[in-house]
Amino acid sequence: MQNLRYVGKNLFIEKLSIKNILKTNKTPFYIYSENQITFNYLKFANTFKKTNPLICFAAKSNSNLNILRILSRLGAGADVVSGGELLKALKAGIKPNKIVFSGVGKTEEELKIAISKRILLINCESESEAKLVNNLGKKLKKKVSIGFRLNPNIDAKTHKNISTGKADNKFGLSIKNFKIFLKTSKSFKNIKLDALSVHIGSQILSDAPFRKTLNVMSKLIKELKLNLKYVDLGGGFGINYTDKEKPINLSKYSKLVHNFSKKINCRIIFEPGRSIIGNTGLLVSKIQFIKKGTNKNFIIIDAGMNDFMRPALYEAFHKIIPIAKKSSKMRDKIEFVGPICESTCKFGVYKNYPKINENDFVAITNVGAYGSSLSSNYNTRPLIAEILINKNKFRYIRKKQNLLKLINS
Ligand SMILES: *Cc1c(COP(=O)(O)O)cnc(C)c1O
């Protein structure tokens, strides 16, 4: 995050020292830089300026209402994967004609909401879903604009748990079965195939899988002589979680996308999540206890895998940095762990870490995407607060969940 830096020994986001937030607020909590959110969105939009795509922010990466509002004001649409996300996107001021709905198991209830709100596209992922949409359209006396999500059988070369575009993955329809569907769906009078969509995975750091996908799509559209309004190229653009990784370079890809859109004469849709919101957030946590182990010392922090799930779920690495940095180092190996009663509730091993003590504070970095939105009440712990920073000011964008309410429900 460009807006994150040490001033002297103290960690700042934008123009605010995190120490100032800690004076009046109990850890753990999420903090986000508004400036960074705006910067990331505009940078993405600018990279693809010539193509003028519709940018549908993947709401599942961070569904905080205030963050959706910021993105809505910047002109973003939304990619939603549930009825709840759909209603939240609308509440954030995102117009229905900028919303696309993905997911393999949409319910009748969710589809009815999408149809009656007249969203831009329902991206169907199976023949059965398209049939259900057609039947619901008939009942509601509407012709429904759909996209079909294809599974192009392309390896995104990412962690297996976030790969979605291979034949073994449950997402989308194979090209072979899509062709069969086209022949058999002529009788479906209440749907109109306006788009094809693909989303091959997440945290993709090379443009090669995206290039392959463009080739598959342009060949198919030409072969089938499809007359589409949109091609939805999904999200998945990777960011650098470590200093060694490089974020994906989108400027080369943007030229290919531009040529592709001219050739097929369609408007392009993107569904970025992580690349917009990933590096904008920190999870601030207190060191509760330090315990000597046999091979390493355990730094037990007050944030757990229920607050931040990515390390447990995807073996993800997120660098942890001190809020007030000391110049002396600790020689022993340490491991940051959380309080949850699961062995996977751990956040990384370090050597030569700057000196830290019990009651000091640390920040887990790059937690803006799939952080808060993946959090849960596991171990009956309340959902934690979310705070938005703008220059030298901060405000709550979600209050900590009330513990009494939680135990009574
Ligand atoms: C999760 C998801 C995205 C967003 O992926 P990122 O890697 O966060 O950009 C986009 N489209 C669909 C269909 C998704 O399921």
Side-chain angles (χ1 to χ4, degrees), residues 44 56-62 79-81 100-103 123 125 149 162 164 171 197-204 210 232-238 270-278 369-370:
F44 187 90
C56 293
F57 175 67
K60 77 171 186 293
S61 66
N62 191 313
D79 164 49
V80 301
V81 292
V100 299
F101 191 0
S102 313
N123 283 338
E125 302 210 18
R149 178 166 174 183
I162 48 175
T164 57
F171 300 98
S197 85
V198 276
H199 173 72
I200 56 173
S202 196
Q203 183 55 12
I204 301 168
F210 291 115
D232 181 343
L233 293 172
F237 313 110
F270 283 119
E271 304 168 342
R274 190 190 308 274
S275 54
I276 304 293
I277 203 71
Y370 309 102

Side-chain angles (χ1 to χ4, degrees), residues 395-407:
R395 68 183 170 100
Y396 279 93
I397 52 172
R398 181 179 77 187
K399 282 228 161 79
K400 183 178 175 176
Q401 199 176 16
N402 183 301
L403 184 62
L404 273 180
K405 272 194 192 149
L406 177 62
I407 59 176

